[in-house]
């Protein structure tokens, strides 16, 4: 309705000017009368002044109408419940190659839960030049932005690593795509997903709420939506969806990093195996990630590069949270290092030390937490195997570990698998 009024006004001004022009310019005058010509000239000057005055008046009116219109539009936004109109922009980078149905599945869920296109632009980066996949992405129209990795040249792979060529291609793609995000699009932060992830309903809410924490704490370098020990029998599915932790193990699989971190990692980005490279002490430099108790992503399987057995035994079984947690309404400052470490160490110390036999027997009181202690790598492997926890290490760090401690939930018990009190850091020779 406002638009109509503005248009009517504009038309009115134009008609008004035309009428005045016709009236004055075509007014019959006696030729060769210099006096009359002077009069006409004066009248035209006067008219010009008047028109200028009126034009200012109408412009002022138009400006007022525009302000009213804008105000109304923003009020309508609130009424629709579309909050999130103001605040940081958190772009999602979706890494894709040649799997059109996987891309569709990933995008459908991201779009289903995305609260705002402006706040969470989705950029799909496609490598591999696969036409059906490109067409699948294009079919989403302006809901997503497609960028295409231009370097489709054969990649140089050492002879011994021929069968790992996929890892080299992925690394090259990541480097190009992240440079686009931070240098071309000039975003401050990015949430990275691959084309094999389902996301939880509060996926965007989770990253929105943890973003200020990531910015505020230099000892954090990522937020991940993934729990490596997120099988249903190892997490508190019912009551733990709001629980978040720090971890020394980089989880990946739906994760957020800042432009500052890319400035640091981008120039030395490796030619392959980027995730294990990120986990090396030279890169990690003692920094931690935030991870949830209950995963906000689940992988639905990779063809090609990833190990099929690992997928069947572990990745496939991770429980995807289906309860929406309003993270932005929670006070998450407890995740900042000083506060977290103090509370965390107190909680581990205060836990009652038990044996794996006690846990298995199922007679422990569920109202307190417990501590299982390991001293050697074999100790650790024995306990993790018997409980179904991940038992591998990267640069000596076990999955989900924080200060050597794996925190999990089993048969209604809160448990810390923890080293002894004389622990003095990860042993990189543990693998
Ligand atoms: C649920 O979790 C909260 C902490 O998030 C805890 O205080 C409460 O005791 C838990 N309730 C049950 C039934 O475990
Ligand atoms: C958030 O929690 C911390 C303690 O972890 C407290 O000091 C701070 O005042 C709380 N902030 C708000 C806004 O409640
Ligand atoms: C468990 O511990 C709580 C508090 O320590 C106590 O009140 C309760 O009786 C205990 N339950 C059992 C079954 O021992």
């Amino acid at each position: 309705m406002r638009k109509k009024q503005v248009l009517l006004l504009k038309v009115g001004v134009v008609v008004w000017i035309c009428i005045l022009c016709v009236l004055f310019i075509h007014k019959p005058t006696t030729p060769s009368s210099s006096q009359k010509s002077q009069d006409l000239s004066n009248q035209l000057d006067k008219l010009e002044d008047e028109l200028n005055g009126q034009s200012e008046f109408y412009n002022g009116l138009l400006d007022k109408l525009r302000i009213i219109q804008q105000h109304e539009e923003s009020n309508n936004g609130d009424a629709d419940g579309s909050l999130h109109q103001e605040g940081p922009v958190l772009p999602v980078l979706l890494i894709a190659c040649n799997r059109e149905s996987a891309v569709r599945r990933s995008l459908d869920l991201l779009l289903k839960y995305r609260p705002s296109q402006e706040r969470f632009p989705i950029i799909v980066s496609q490598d591999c030049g696969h036409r059906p996949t490109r067409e699948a992405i294009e079919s989403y129209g302006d809901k997503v932005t497609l960028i295409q990795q231009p370097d489709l040249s054969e990649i140089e792979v050492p002879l011994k690593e021929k069968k790992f060529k996929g890892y080299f291609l992925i690394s090259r793609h990541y480097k190009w795509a992240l440079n686009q995000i931070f240098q071309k699009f000039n975003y401050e932060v990015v949430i990275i997903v691959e084309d094999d992830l389902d996301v939880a309903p509060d996926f965007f809410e989770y990253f929105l709420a943890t973003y200020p924490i990531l910015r505020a704490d230099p000892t954090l370098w990522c937020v991940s939506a993934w729990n490596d020990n997120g099988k249903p029998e190892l997490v508190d599915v019912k009551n733990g969806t709001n629980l978040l932790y720090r971890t020394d193990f980089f989880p990946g699989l739906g994760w957020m990093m800042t432009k500052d971190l890319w400035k640091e990692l981008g120039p030395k980005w490796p030619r392959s195996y980027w995730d294990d490279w990120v986990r090396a002490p030279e890169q990690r430099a003692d920094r931690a990630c935030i991870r949830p108790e209950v995963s906000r992503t689940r992988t639905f399987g990779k063809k090609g590069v990833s190990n099929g057995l690992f997928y069947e035994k572990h990745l496939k079984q991770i429980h995807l949270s289906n309860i929406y947690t309003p993270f932005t309404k929670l006070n998450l400052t407890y995740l900042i290092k000083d506060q977290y470490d103090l509370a965390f160490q107190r909680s581990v110390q205060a836990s009652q030390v038990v044996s794996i036999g006690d846990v298995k027997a199922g007679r422990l009181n569920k109202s307190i937490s417990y501590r299982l202690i390991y001293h050697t790598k074999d100790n650790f492997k024995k306990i993790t195997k018997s409980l179904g926890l991940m038992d591998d290490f990267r640069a000596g760090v076990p999955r989900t570990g924080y200060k050597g401690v794996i925190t999990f939930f089993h048969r209604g018990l809160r448990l810390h698998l923890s080293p002894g009190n004389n622990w003095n850091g990860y042993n990189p020779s543990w693998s």
Side-chain angles (χ1 to χ4, degrees):
M1 201 185 81
R2 295 288 180 191
K3 276 198 183 124
K4 256 190 196 159
Q5 284 178 356
V6 173
L7 191 72
L8 269 174
L9 260 174
K10 281 181 182 165
V11 171
V13 172
V14 171
V15 170
W16 176 234
I17 291 170
C18 289
I19 291 172
L20 287 176
C21 284
V22 169
L23 278 179
F24 282 85
I25 292 168
H26 293 286
K27 200 173 176 185
T29 55
T30 324
S32 80
S33 162
S34 66
Q35 182 54 46
K36 279 197 171 160
S37 171
Q38 189 55 46
D39 281 356
L40 182 60
S41 177
N42 286 345
Q43 276 177 337
L44 279 175
D45 285 349
K46 235 174 97 186
L47 175 62
E48 198 181 338
D49 286 348
E50 265 174 44
L51 280 178
N52 279 342
Q54 280 176 352
S55 154
E56 265 168 42
F57 169 76
Y58 283 116
N59 276 338
L61 213 64
L62 279 176
D63 285 345
K64 274 184 199 151
L65 279 170
R66 279 200 198 99
I67 290 165
I68 293 169
Q69 191 180 0
Q70 275 165 11
H71 188 72
E72 266 200 353
E73 274 168 9
S74 64
N75 276 353
N76 283 344
D78 286 352
D80 289 351
S82 45
L83 300 165
H84 302 302
Q85 289 301 318
E86 273 167 42
V89 173
L90 308 184
V92 175
L93 170 65
L94 171 61
I95 298 285
C97 173
N98 58 5
R99 300 193 303 157
E100 58 205 277
S101 61
V103 164
R104 277 187 198 283
R105 176 165 168 179
S106 301
L107 275 178
D108 286 346
L109 221 46
L110 282 168
L111 290 172
K112 177 175 173 191
Y113 296 134
R114 177 167 73 170
S116 151
Q117 176 158 354
E118 287 70 38
R119 298 289 303 283
F120 303 99
I122 295 174
I123 293 105
V124 187
S125 181
Q126 195 207 353
D127 196 2
C128 313
H130 188 245
R131 208 185 71 184
T133 302
R134 192 198 71 218
E135 286 169 355
I137 299 162
E138 283 171 345
S139 75
Y140 288 86
D142 60 8
K143 292 198 205 104
V144 308
T145 302
L146 169 65
I147 57 176
Q148 288 177 281
Q149 203 279 110
D151 181 4
L152 301 179
S153 65
E154 195 54 35
I155 199 160
E156 217 177 288
V157 180
L159 206 57
K160 278 190 299 191
E161 297 169 67
K162 271 280 180 265
K163 63 174 175 178
F164 301 122
K165 185 173 143 190
Y167 291 99
F168 287 76
L169 293 170
I170 287 173
S171 211
R172 173 168 81 180
H173 185 188
Y174 263 77
K175 180 167 186 168
W176 178 82
L178 287 166
N179 277 333
Q180 295 292 300
I181 292 289
F182 291 120
Q183 286 165 16
K184 179 169 169 246
F185 293 96
N186 208 21
Y187 288 123
E188 286 302 312
V189 65
V190 67
I191 300 164
I192 302 162
V193 294
E194 291 189 11
D195 66 353
D196 61 347
L197 286 186
D198 289 335
V199 300
D202 53 6
F203 177 82
F204 294 95
E205 172 77 1
Y206 170 62
F207 285 108
L208 193 56
T210 48
Y211 177 58
I213 308 289
L214 178 63
R215 288 235 88 120
D217 183 348
T219 67
L220 284 173
W221 69 331
C222 100
V223 176
S224 169
W226 176 258
N227 176 3
D228 271 301
N229 282 318
K231 293 177 191 170
E233 64 274 20
L234 293 173
V235 296
D236 190 353
V237 170
K238 282 208 189 89
N239 189 41
T241 46
N242 61 345
L243 293 178
L244 305 179
Y245 300 85
R246 293 174 68 103
T247 174
D248 296 319
F249 190 95
F250 172 80
L253 291 164
W255 60 286
M256 174 164 69
M257 78 159 150
T258 63
K259 178 189 236 162
D260 283 345
L261 182 60
W262 184 245
K263 278 190 198 148
E264 178 192 323
L265 298 181
K268 56 173 181 168
W269 194 250
R271 293 189 60 241
S272 62
Y273 323 115
W274 70 266
D275 46 355
D276 282 343
W277 172 84
V278 158
R279 289 170 181 140
E282 306 81 66
Q283 275 65 251
R284 187 169 77 80
D286 267 331
R287 289 172 291 190
C289 295
I290 295 174
R291 59 115 181 148
E293 163 100 0
V294 187
S295 245
R296 261 60 180 192
T297 50
R298 173 180 59 199
T299 168
F300 52 81
K302 260 192 167 76
K303 257 193 309 197
V305 289
S306 191
N307 176 340
L309 193 67
F310 185 67
Y311 173 74
E312 288 300 320
K313 265 188 79 182
H314 295 288
L315 301 179
K316 192 175 143 184
Q317 297 178 32
I318 301 298
H319 177 77
L320 178 68
S321 178
N322 53 16
I323 302 168
Y324 187 97
T325 299
F327 283 111
T328 56
K329 309 266 189 317
L330 307 180
N331 182 354
L332 300 182
T333 57
Y334 71 89
L335 290 163
I336 302 231
K337 186 177 172 65
D338 292 347
Q339 279 188 51
Y340 188 90
D341 286 4
L342 200 66
F344 179 74
Q345 261 145 354
R346 266 194 201 136
S347 151
V348 174
Q349 292 299 327
S351 298
Q352 188 186 322
V353 176
V354 289
S355 72
I356 186 81
D358 296 331
V359 173
K360 293 264 172 192
R363 284 191 294 269
L364 297 172
N365 189 330
K366 294 190 166 93
S367 63
I368 59 168
S369 62
Y370 298 92
R371 185 178 176 197
L372 290 158
I373 296 188
Y374 68 90
H375 292 287
T376 64
K377 189 178 95 176
D378 286 348
N379 254 184
F380 179 89
K381 294 246 173 194
K382 207 174 144 208
I383 298 172
T384 48
K385 279 210 170 77
S386 106
L387 291 168
L389 293 158
M390 299 292 287
D391 66 349
D392 57 340
F393 300 86
R394 292 291 183 285
V397 184
R399 290 180 190 267
T400 75
Y402 191 62
K403 298 183 184 300
V405 180
I406 313 289
T407 298
F408 62 103
F409 190 80
H410 184 64
R411 297 190 182 182
L413 303 173
R414 177 57 64 191
L415 293 150
H416 302 289
L417 172 56
S418 139
N421 289 338
N422 58 357
W423 187 77
N424 54 12
Y426 296 103
N427 183 340
S429 76
W430 288 21
S431 62

